[in-house]
Amino acid sequence: VSSFVDITEESSQRRLLGLTVQAAGLGTWDWWMPSGEVKFNERWWQMLGYEPGALPAAVTVWESLVHPDDVAAARAALQHHLADHGQPYHCEFRMRRADGSWGWIMAAGAVIERQANGRPQRMAGIHLDIGARKALEERLADAALTDALTGLPNRAALRTRLMQCSARAQRDPAYCFAVLFMDFDRFKQVNDSFGHDAGDELLRQIAQRLRATLRPSDDLARLQVAEHTAVRLGGDEFVALLEPLRRPEDAMLVAQRLLDALAAPYQLAGQEVTSTVSIGVVTSQSHHGDPEELLRDADTAMYEAKRRGRGRYVEFSRDMHERVRQAVDLEAELRRALRADGEVFPVFQPIVDMSTGCIRGVEALARWMHPTRGAVPPIEFIPLAEDSGLIAELGELMLRLACVEASKWREEFGADDRFTVSVNVSRAQLRKPDLPDVVERVLSGTGLDARVLRLELTESVAMQDAQIIPTLNRLRALGVSLALDDFGTGYSSLATLDQLPLDAVKIDRSFVEKMVENRYQAALIKATLDVAGTLGLDVVAEGVETEEQANMLRLAGCRLAQGWLFGRPEGAARIAERFRKSVDEATGDVRPRRA
């Protein structure tokens, strides 16, 4: 008796399945469970780099190839399927390749035969190489914890490590770590002067120095345990996590090392740029808060470092919270005061012709009379205005009020065209393309002749920010004169004075203070006067306080000066009174009284 079965379709399906498995790059396995024998296809051997049949076909050999850290999970997944055949067998683990490396494998399968008593007898499935997927997942995980610009860890990575460090510090009183919060003092100036691309390059160079200073040879892509490392929070804010430390004082040694390393000049767009750093330090021995509190307190200490003069480190103390709160309150009140009538106002310091004693101009200086605090010193609210972004609003207010007073004086006392009122303009104002339009509106609204207004810009702004040159040219086209303030303290030199559309140079008071006892300072002043004279620029010596200084300046050929010797800053009414008492009816010149 015979029977015949047409297996054409079954054979076709088997061939199709084989082609599919081959095309998908799947390694197949077939496990005969009673004997432990396992059969693998050729792709399975290729996947791990072995020649077919190079290893015994036993399940124990297969298990020996699984990474020791993954064996327990692989066994659990298998037992889960054997206990409940309704649940598929699926697991991911690492297997050792022929070259000794580890490759990620995804395993899936099912029991396909059982004994009469239901006991599993045969199991089959596939192995798939998922190394590329795991590498991508790892890169994505790194990207989520890494700053894209610098390659340093980011805030999320830092928070995780800080939580681990804080937990360990609570368990082990001897364990010590520290957080150093860093902010770069002139980064915004660099960004504004050279553009965002240069700013990004500066941040990358900063990251390289942090790597070299904290961990000379390690990769900073991940925050590992027990290592000093750096993190970028955003903008120009960085954090160094130091752990473990032998003692809290070691954090100060690292902070000083960072100050030294980061203070060296940077090369940007072919120019040498300096950007010092202010650092706030918090150690675990003095702080047991959560990560956000640690960062907040380190940030507070960093602002204290800025308040004390920048380019230094300061360790956090509890009393700093009160100072920060006061600074926040003061900022809010300054914002309100700028919109109040008469609370923020200008005072004026005379600029005199030392050969005749006549006033040739005044410089407008901002003052703030708080309704309850009284007079707030400029050294407090001017830096606050710069840090809070209110400096442009303050500058525009001073411009308008100074022009109002100058217009009154011109109308009442008829000062000649050589008289000027000088007003300081900030970088924030100069960066605004509509500054010439603002100045033109103020002049038109106050009726002040443009020749009377002199705008003073600091040397560092003028020499580091080429983008302001068109704005300066437009201002001069209005008839306004321009003066370079604080000359000698910044980035320019005598050789660069002709590169700016200037009308005057103001020699910084630090040179005047030292000129009597220091021949070098006196020589610098003389050289400045000679070069400025050649270029047709006025020169004003600032901070003249003694007759000896005034005499030396006269002998050097300096004609214009301002300082306490000739008059302290006074209110508009007081200046008007001095004008009224000293008008020379014959010449119209105004003669100051000695202060």
Side-chain angles (χ1 to χ4, degrees):
V1 177
S2 352
S3 66
F4 298 89
V5 179
D6 186 347
I7 62 170
T8 303
E9 184 176 353
E10 182 181 346
S11 178
S12 176
Q13 292 293 335
R14 286 180 178 175
R15 286 197 302 272
L16 179 60
L17 177 59
L19 291 171
T20 302
V21 169
Q22 183 179 0
L26 298 175
T28 64
W29 48 271
D30 190 338
W31 177 20
W32 184 253
M33 301 175 76
S35 65
E37 182 184 5
V38 184
K39 295 180 180 179
F40 301 104
N41 68 350
E42 185 176 353
R43 172 57 186 155
W44 187 92
W45 295 99
Q46 294 173 352
M47 190 184 302
L48 296 177
Y50 295 97
E51 291 293 329
L55 300 173
V59 70
T60 54
V61 174
W62 169 85
E63 190 173 77
S64 72
L65 298 177
V66 177
H67 195 287
D69 293 343
D70 301 337
V71 169
R75 286 176 177 171
L78 177 60
Q79 292 301 321
H80 186 65
H81 171 67
L82 295 177
D84 181 3
H85 65 273
Q87 297 295 324
Y89 168 62
H90 184 280
C91 189
E92 295 179 358
F93 45 77
R94 288 161 289 178
M95 295 188 72
R96 188 173 63 250
R97 297 190 179 96
D99 61 4
S101 64
W102 297 98
W104 275 99
I105 301 296
M106 186 277 288
V111 174
I112 59 174
E113 287 186 22
R114 293 180 180 271
Q115 298 175 0
N117 61 5
R119 188 172 182 177
Q121 180 169 268
R122 185 183 175 196
M123 192 171 178
I126 62 167
H127 280 170
L128 175 64
D129 185 344
I130 59 171
R133 193 196 84 194
K134 284 292 185 180
L136 177 60
E137 289 176 354
E138 188 173 312
R139 288 196 297 271
L140 291 174
D142 284 348
L145 300 175
T146 303
D147 174 61
L149 178 64
T150 63
L152 297 178
N154 61 15
R155 180 184 287 270
L158 176 64
R159 180 178 176 81
T160 300
R161 284 295 299 125
L162 283 178
M163 292 178 68
Q164 295 170 355
C165 292
S166 296
R168 181 178 173 185
Q170 292 177 6
R171 294 192 306 268
D172 180 6
Y175 170 74
C176 180
F177 71 94
V179 172
L180 276 58
F181 197 109
M182 294 171 277
D183 185 272
F184 286 79
D185 300 321
R186 295 184 178 87
F187 176 75
K188 189 175 186 302
Q189 294 181 16
V190 172
N191 222 23
D192 290 344
S193 301
F194 298 101
H196 291 289
D197 289 344
D200 289 347
E201 175 59 25
L202 175 58
L203 293 174
R204 284 189 286 266
Q205 291 187 30
I206 288 170
Q208 291 170 3
R209 293 192 188 183
L210 290 173
R211 285 188 179 94
T213 305
L214 294 174
R215 298 166 55 222
S217 61
D218 293 341
D219 179 16
L220 289 181
R222 302 182 189 86
L223 280 171
Q224 305 294 338
V225 177
E227 66 183 14
H228 296 351
T229 191
V231 176
R232 182 183 176 223
L233 296 186
D236 61 331
E237 292 181 340
F238 293 79
V239 166
L241 173 61
L242 312 181
E243 68 99 9
L245 293 174
R246 290 178 299 174
R247 54 181 187 167
E249 293 81 6
D250 289 345
M252 312 310 159
L253 299 177
V254 177
Q256 185 59 56
R257 192 163 72 241
L258 287 170
L259 287 174
D260 295 339
L262 297 170
Y266 300 83
Q267 293 296 325
L268 295 177
Q271 297 191 47
E272 190 175 90
V273 175
T274 301
S275 182
T276 57
V277 66
S278 297
I279 304 177
V281 183
V282 172
T283 67
S284 57
Q285 300 299 302
S286 61
H287 197 294
H288 302 286
D290 63 24
E292 290 304 322
E293 289 180 349
L294 280 166
L295 289 176
R296 180 201 64 192
D297 291 346
D299 188 20
T300 298
M302 181 274 296
Y303 274 106
E304 180 66 14
K306 283 184 175 291
R307 190 184 72 84
R308 294 184 188 180
R310 312 188 181 209
R312 66 190 65 210
Y313 70 84
V314 170
E315 186 176 6
F316 174 77
S317 61
R318 295 292 171 184
D319 62 338
M320 291 180 186
H321 281 310
E322 179 60 23
R323 285 200 292 273
V324 171
R325 186 192 63 78
Q326 292 175 357
V328 171
D329 291 345
L330 194 63
E331 177 184 334
E333 299 204 18
L334 176 60
R335 198 175 298 275
R336 175 199 54 78
L338 290 173
R339 293 162 175 77
D341 186 18
E343 192 169 326
V344 179
F345 56 89
V347 293
F348 302 89
Q349 185 171 32
I351 299 172
V352 304
D353 185 332
M354 290 190 293
S355 63
T356 64
C358 300
I359 293 179
R360 287 303 176 200
V362 292
E363 179 181 355
L365 303 168
R367 294 293 185 267
W368 179 12
M369 183 60 68
H370 191 278
T372 58
R373 297 173 185 258
V376 181
I379 196 172
E380 290 187 18
F381 75 84
I382 297 296
L384 178 65
E386 292 174 344
D387 292 340
S388 62
L390 294 173
I391 192 66
E393 187 174 349
L394 174 62
E396 291 181 15
L397 176 63
M398 290 302 102
L399 173 67
R400 179 169 53 82
L401 295 178
C403 288
V404 167
E405 297 301 335
S407 181
K408 292 179 182 177
W409 298 332
R410 288 268 293 178
E411 182 176 351
E412 183 174 355
F413 304 112
D416 63 31
D417 291 339
R418 291 174 293 174
F419 175 83
T420 60
V421 57
S422 297
V423 180
N424 293 282
V425 288
S426 66
R427 179 189 300 272
Q429 289 175 273
L430 289 166
R431 293 284 296 178
K432 289 186 174 183
D434 66 340
L435 176 61
D437 298 328
V438 171
V439 171
E440 188 173 20
R441 284 197 301 271
V442 169
L443 292 173
S444 176
T446 59
L448 183 66
D449 189 326
R451 293 173 296 177
V452 176
L453 178 61
R454 173 166 287 174
L455 300 179
E456 295 188 5
L457 56 153
T458 61
E459 183 183 357
S460 59
V461 172
M463 299 310 300
Q464 277 202 330
D465 198 341
Q467 298 181 42
I468 69 170
I469 300 300
T471 300
L472 298 181
N473 288 327
R474 286 184 59 197
L475 289 169
R476 286 197 80 196
L478 294 175
V480 172
S481 62
L482 301 175
L484 188 64
D485 198 11
D486 302 330
F487 182 77
T489 62
Y491 303 89
S492 61
S493 66
L494 294 174
T496 60
L497 284 178
D498 63 340
Q499 298 177 14
L500 296 169
L502 298 174
D503 299 278
V505 174
K506 301 188 76 172
I507 299 174
D508 188 71
R509 66 178 60 248
S510 61
F511 291 91
V512 175
E513 288 173 355
K514 300 172 184 176
M515 66 178 299
V516 174
E517 298 178 355
N518 190 319
R519 289 188 300 174
Y520 175 73
Q521 304 291 345
L524 283 177
I525 291 176
K526 184 65 171 68
T528 301
L529 289 164
D530 292 342
V531 172
T534 301
L535 298 174
L537 304 178
D538 289 338
V539 177
V540 180
E542 296 182 289
V544 181
E545 297 183 357
T546 68
E547 286 287 358
E548 190 174 9
Q549 291 170 348
N551 289 333
M552 287 190 68
L553 288 167
R554 291 188 188 98
L555 290 174
C558 183
R559 187 169 57 89
L560 302 175
Q562 74 180 92
W564 286 6
L565 179 64
F566 304 107
R568 300 193 179 198
E570 297 179 308
R574 176 63 178 152
I575 290 291
E577 181 182 344
R578 290 182 61 177
F579 280 154
R580 185 177 298 108
K581 290 181 179 180
S582 56
V583 169
D584 186 319
E585 295 181 357
T587 64
D589 285 342
V590 183
R591 303 184 182 277
R593 296 177 302 165
R594 290 297 170 95

